[in-house]
Amino acid sequence: MGIFKRLFGGFGSKKKVRIVVVGLDNSGKTTVLNALKPKKASLETVPTVGFSTEEFQKHGVNFSAIDMSGQSRYRNLWEHYYGEVEGIIVVIDSTDKLRFAVVKDELETMLADPRITEKKMPILFLNNKVDQPLASPPQETMQALGLDRITDRPWQMFSCDALKGDGVEEAIKWLADNMNK
């Protein structure tokens, strides 16, 4: 079988893309990525310091995801990766309404970056932790972040519970479809 794989490996090969995953600390970025990886073992999620890289395959796309720390002292690192990626995932803690203004500021800074502006890459917003009693519904989160002002690129918001994986698969399918266009 190995020889056939080498001979015909180029046929049907999956598209390779790099994405960046951003969001404030404790929003669930790493948990989202863990939900997308093959289930091997139950992994405990610890806060990301700086960044980490994860790879996974979904919907005909090989993703290489840069998981950026959301702690305030690391957020200035996000911009160093914008030129290297073709898509963005923004994870929002839907229960942390007090910090929606911080998310909005970080989003405005990101969207003003020339490397983001010129590429018109798709942005996937994940309204995470929707299983919690105080979670903001997607429409409320979109309004708080002013997402209706994004008219120059494809974007979509999905609700998810990253711990259970609910909504994550549908969301990444949207991103894969928009990266294949």
Side-chain angles (χ1 to χ4, degrees):
M1 182 99 163
I3 192 163
F4 289 113
K5 193 171 189 177
R6 281 190 292 245
L7 287 173
F8 301 109
F11 296 111
S13 62
K14 298 179 181 193
K15 181 178 181 173
K16 295 179 181 181
V17 297
R18 289 178 58 109
I19 60 173
V20 65
V21 183
V22 297
L24 301 185
D25 52 306
N26 200 34
S27 61
K29 299 173 297 296
T30 303
T31 306
V32 165
L33 290 174
N34 285 341
L36 291 167
K37 295 189 301 191
K39 307 291 184 239
K40 292 183 183 171
S42 178
L43 301 174
E44 183 178 326
T45 304
V46 296
T48 303
V49 176
F51 73 94
S52 67
T53 304
E54 299 289 343
E55 301 206 1
F56 59 93
Q57 296 178 359
K58 292 288 179 181
H59 309 286
V61 178
N62 286 330
F63 288 93
S64 178
I66 304 165
D67 179 6
M68 301 300 301
S69 174
Q71 297 173 12
S72 60
R73 67 177 173 254
Y74 294 114
R75 284 187 221 135
N76 63 339
L77 296 175
W78 295 359
E79 67 186 65
H80 297 289
Y81 295 91
Y82 295 156
E84 302 175 15
V85 298
E86 296 126 312
I88 300 169
I89 298 176
V90 179
V91 182
I92 303 129
D93 179 347
S94 66
T95 66
D96 196 358
K97 297 175 188 178
L98 291 175
R99 295 203 304 165
F100 281 0
V102 178
V103 175
K104 183 178 180 182
D105 289 345
E106 293 294 342
L107 181 61
E108 287 172 357
T109 301
M110 179 178 69
L111 292 172
D113 189 287
R115 293 163 292 192
I116 299 289
T117 305
E118 65 190 33
K119 283 189 180 178
K120 309 292 184 212
M121 63 186 81
I123 303 175
L124 170 61
F125 294 94
L126 294 175
N127 197 43
N128 194 21
K129 304 182 185 182
V130 295
D131 60 312
Q132 300 298 311
L134 299 176
S136 170
Q139 195 62 35
E140 184 181 316
T141 304
M142 286 189 286
Q143 187 173 19
L145 301 181
L147 299 186
D148 59 330
R149 293 181 294 168
I150 303 173
T151 58
D152 64 338
R153 69 191 66 248
W155 67 270
Q156 187 65 261
M157 176 174 280
F158 286 84
S159 290
C160 72
D161 174 359
L163 280 175
K164 294 179 188 166
D166 295 345
V168 176
E169 195 66 40
E170 297 85 358
I172 204 67
K173 180 173 184 345
W174 177 89
L175 185 61
D177 290 346
N178 277 274
M179 296 186 89
N180 277 327
K181 289 183 180 176

